[in-house]
Amino acid sequence: MTDRFHHPSDREARSAARAKALESLLIEKGIITDRTVDTVLKVFETKMGPFNGAKIVARAWADPAFKRRLVEDTPAAIAEMAGMNDLPAGMAGAEGEHMRAVANGEGVHNLVICTLCSCYPWPVLGLPPYWYKDPTFRSRAAREPRAVLKEFGLDVPETVEVRIWDSSAQIRWFVVPERPAGTDGMSETELAALVTPEAMMGVAVSKAG
Amino acid sequence: MKLQHYLGGLEGLGPLTIETRVFVEEWETRIFGIHTAMMALSPQLSLPATPSAFHTVWTWADLRKGAEAMNPFDYFKYRYYEKWLGGISGYFVANGYITEEELEARTAEYLGDPDKPLPRGGSPEIDRRVERYLEEGDSPHRDLAVPVEFREGDQVRVRNVPTLEHTRLPGFLRDRNGTVVTVYPGAYGYLTDTGADGIGAPMAVYCVRFDPQDLWPGNTEPNLSLYADLYAAYVAEPTAELAAPSGDASA
């Protein structure tokens, strides 16, 4: 028998205490301040997050010319929205220095993965959910994406090409899902509410209501 | 070889765990914040100096190296941010900022009294730099003329480079044939020099399309394309045997 995969019963309490001990020592030693961690977390609540990606996708749904520009030159299209104050500053910031959008439609479904780690477009999507970082997802999505998508509740028929984007160098990829049926006349704000991080990574599609 | 370099395509892992939260425990937010602050305060960035005592380089490459160096069983055993907690606290000990004894003693204090407050203090310049790093990022793009050996549409073969501790080459692509679909303009450095593995200095990066039927013959799904962004050091001329298009010749 092996205890290789045994965890102590106080697993989380120990990690919590160790993380707090580390933060406390780093503050004492002048490496960070007592506000540094909260400063970082606030950026991800207010400036960098999936709420930006949702606005970008909603704009692409509402304006086909913008969608073309977004796919052809992602940073320029995002900068265009930021220039109209429709996105906060920092859209080419950390982990968003080189982003590219790929669009679903016309017999194509896109899926973004990172088999080596967890590369993710921070400014537009925030931080990656656990499923994206999980070694099982990262391993399986490369070889059997349809089986993986089925577990997410998404059936992609064999007539639709699945394009898998492995984020292995500078580009951080995201997906523009298809505009769902039954959304005619919706405002961009209403449309943005239909866009999930999962849809922008390609493990879900957007649905009306 | 390290299993962590060869995760793509690994079989027998069973069903997914579909957890859509970013953090599943409150403490995970703290270690994430610490890591991000370390990246922001790392001295190689051209951001305003601060009174922070942090004086050694910390980038994604250091975090990744740590995860890639793990016993592969532990890599699967520990949750994402547990690996970060281990790697980051180990870094502060190894670089002499804190001792393991200090960390253990402080951990015991917080285990006994989880609500004991954190110490106070620190210069606001430190936090301003952290915010500035997040807003400005750290682009690896360099406006340099570098050799660009391949063009869009060219067949290429992925080199089987001698990787030691760290790589950005997914293992399942080694020795495989693909087609260049994009030559990214300019040159791209990497956060660290990976030695004989070959990346670090600014070089061209190609987006290369692979047919999963070539990667896992008879053991994948139909109608797929797999794209990877590959540094020039990882890409070579196809060998004669591989020069002929395989699979769908029209692709």
Side-chain angles (χ1 to χ4, degrees), chain A residues 3-7 10-41 43-44 47-48 89-95 97-98 100 107 113-119 122-123 127-149 151-153 157-173 198, chain B residues 5 7-11 13-25 27-34 36-37 41 52-54 60 64 71 73-82 85 88-89 92 97-98 100 102-104 106-107 110-111 114-116 118-123 126-127 130-131 133-141 167-170 172 182 184 188 205 207 216 219-229 231:
Chain A
D3 63 354
R4 166 78 56 199
F5 291 98
H6 171 79
H7 288 284
D10 62 350
R11 173 182 181 181
E12 301 305 335
R14 283 205 64 81
S15 291
R18 197 167 168 89
K20 196 165 183 181
L22 182 64
E23 185 178 356
S24 146
L25 289 168
L26 298 182
I27 295 166
E28 263 178 29
K29 293 180 191 274
I31 291 164
I32 61 174
T33 80
D34 58 5
R35 296 164 309 280
T36 302
V37 169
D38 290 331
T39 299
V40 170
L41 297 175
V43 169
F44 285 92
K47 291 181 181 166
M48 302 171 101
M91 290 299 102
E95 293 302 295
E97 296 93 342
H98 303 281
R100 289 193 80 172
I113 62 175
C114 177
T115 59
L116 288 170
C117 51
S118 53
C119 295
W122 283 7
L127 299 173
Y130 253 100
W131 61 260
Y132 183 79
K133 308 177 284 208
D134 190 88
T136 300
F137 170 78
R138 290 157 50 208
S139 302
R140 291 186 52 203
R143 190 179 61 84
E144 47 172 9
R146 283 190 187 82
V148 159
L149 294 174
E151 289 180 39
F152 276 93
E158 290 184 357
T159 50
V160 172
E161 181 190 3
V162 178
R163 294 183 182 165
I164 308 154
W165 303 87
D166 193 354
S167 317
S168 39
Q170 85 284 14
I171 300 293
R172 299 291 171 266
W173 298 92
E198 282 67 36
Chain B
H5 296 158
L7 273 189
L10 191 64
E11 295 178 45
L13 292 172
L16 305 171
T17 305
I18 301 176
E19 170 57 70
T20 57
R21 286 175 296 172
V22 170
F23 301 108
V24 295
E25 293 283 334
W27 66 261
E28 297 179 339
T29 66
R30 311 312 290 180
I31 196 65
F32 169 73
I34 291 169
T36 303
L41 298 169
S52 169
F54 194 61
W60 285 113
R64 291 169 185 158
N71 176 315
F73 290 103
D74 285 347
Y75 186 81
F76 276 91
K77 172 179 174 177
Y78 291 108
R79 215 166 53 230
Y80 186 73
Y81 286 113
E82 289 176 312
L85 179 58
I88 291 166
S89 46
F92 280 111
Y97 292 101
I98 59 172
E100 186 61 43
E102 267 179 315
L103 185 59
E104 279 301 323
R106 192 65 58 92
T107 301
Y110 283 119
L111 259 181
D115 296 325
K116 186 181 168 185
L118 287 167
R120 313 295 302 175
S123 158
I126 294 175
D127 299 334
V130 170
E131 285 182 301
Y133 161 71
L134 285 170
E135 190 166 323
E136 293 179 10
D138 176 25
S139 171
H141 180 264
T167 190
R168 292 308 296 167
L169 174 58
F172 63 93
T182 306
Y184 294 109
Y188 297 85
V205 177
C207 182
W216 301 287
N219 193 18
T220 178
E221 296 170 352
N223 205 8
L224 305 180
S225 292
L226 189 144
Y227 299 83
D229 294 323
Y231 293 92

Side-chain angles (χ1 to χ4, degrees), chain B:
Chain B
M1 75 177 256
K2 299 182 194 309
L3 178 68
Q4 288 87 318
H5 296 158
Y6 290 82
L7 273 189
L10 191 64
E11 295 178 45
L13 292 172
L16 305 171
T17 305
I18 301 176
E19 170 57 70
T20 57
R21 286 175 296 172
V22 170
F23 301 108
V24 295
E25 293 283 334
E26 179 64 23
W27 66 261
E28 297 179 339
T29 66
R30 311 312 290 180
I31 196 65
F32 169 73
I34 291 169
H35 158 76
T36 303
M38 291 163 74
M39 292 204 298
L41 298 169
S42 188
Q44 88 287 0
L45 297 183
S46 49
L47 288 173
T50 76
S52 169
F54 194 61
H55 57 83
T56 49
V57 170
W58 175 264
T59 71
W60 285 113
D62 298 279
L63 189 74
R64 291 169 185 158
K65 260 187 238 177
E68 290 165 30
M70 285 177 78
N71 176 315
F73 290 103
D74 285 347
Y75 186 81
F76 276 91
K77 172 179 174 177
Y78 291 108
R79 215 166 53 230
Y80 186 73
Y81 286 113
E82 289 176 312
K83 290 179 262 202
W84 285 38
L85 179 58
I88 291 166
S89 46
Y91 175 89
F92 280 111
V93 171
N95 284 276
Y97 292 101
I98 59 172
T99 66
E100 186 61 43
E101 293 70 33
E102 267 179 315
L103 185 59
E104 279 301 323
R106 192 65 58 92
T107 301
E109 269 179 54
Y110 283 119
L111 259 181
D113 182 4
D115 296 325
K116 186 181 168 185
L118 287 167
R120 313 295 302 175
S123 158
E125 292 163 57
I126 294 175
D127 299 334
R128 277 203 292 274
R129 173 161 163 151
V130 170
E131 285 182 301
R132 197 162 151 187
Y133 161 71
L134 285 170
E135 190 166 323
E136 293 179 10
D138 176 25
S139 171
H141 180 264
R142 301 289 176 266
D143 221 355
L144 287 176
V146 290
V148 181
E149 213 180 328
F150 302 106
R151 288 182 304 179
E152 286 160 17
D154 283 354
Q155 286 274 299
V156 292
R157 180 186 174 87
V158 178
R159 297 179 63 207
N160 188 11
V161 293
T163 296
L164 292 175
E165 60 178 354
H166 183 42
T167 190
R168 292 308 296 167
L169 174 58
F172 63 93
L173 298 177
R174 288 170 181 259
D175 280 332
R176 301 307 172 127
N177 224 24
T179 307
V180 173
V181 295
T182 306
V183 181
Y184 294 109
Y188 297 85
Y190 186 62
L191 301 159
T192 192
D193 183 332
T194 61
D197 173 80
I199 63 169
M203 62 184 73
V205 177
Y206 303 100
C207 182
V208 181
R209 177 193 175 270
F210 298 88
D211 182 346
Q213 293 293 350
D214 290 341
L215 304 174
W216 301 287
N219 193 18
T220 178
E221 296 170 352
N223 205 8
L224 305 180
S225 292
L226 189 144
Y227 299 83
D229 294 323
L230 299 176
Y231 293 92
Y234 297 147
V235 175
E237 292 274 353
T239 55
E241 172 212 350
L242 286 164
S246 56
D248 180 4
S250 65

